[in-house]
Amino acid sequence: ILVIDYENRAGSRSIRVIEILEQIDSKGVFKSFCYLRNEERNFQIGRIINFCQLDEYYQYLIKVGRVNEIRDG
């Protein structure tokens, strides 16, 4: 699971937590599950500004729907 700083076609940036589902194709696009939108989305590698990997515990909290426990303290 990765956290990406992503810029869309319109130039708007957002932070996304994604899980990659498919390899990058010849156009630089890959399918991922986006936790922000709670659905599968396609991302273009060239639009990623920055990224980092989540640690295992945080990944677990996201998958079981308990990530708000961290945000709420």
Side-chain angles (χ1 to χ4, degrees), residues 1-4 6 16-25 28-35 39-45 48 50-54 59 63:
I1 295 180
L2 299 174
V3 177
I4 61 172
Y6 191 75
R16 306 288 185 103
V17 177
I18 63 169
E19 186 169 353
I20 297 172
L21 303 174
E22 293 181 4
Q23 293 182 340
I24 300 169
D25 68 14
V29 176
F30 61 96
K31 183 182 288 187
S32 294
F33 184 81
C34 176
Y35 287 91
E39 64 184 11
E40 290 183 6
R41 304 289 288 237
N42 291 323
F43 294 94
Q44 188 170 3
I45 194 78
I48 296 176
N50 206 347
F51 70 94
C52 66
Q53 187 172 1
L54 288 180
Q59 289 179 37
K63 286 187 180 211

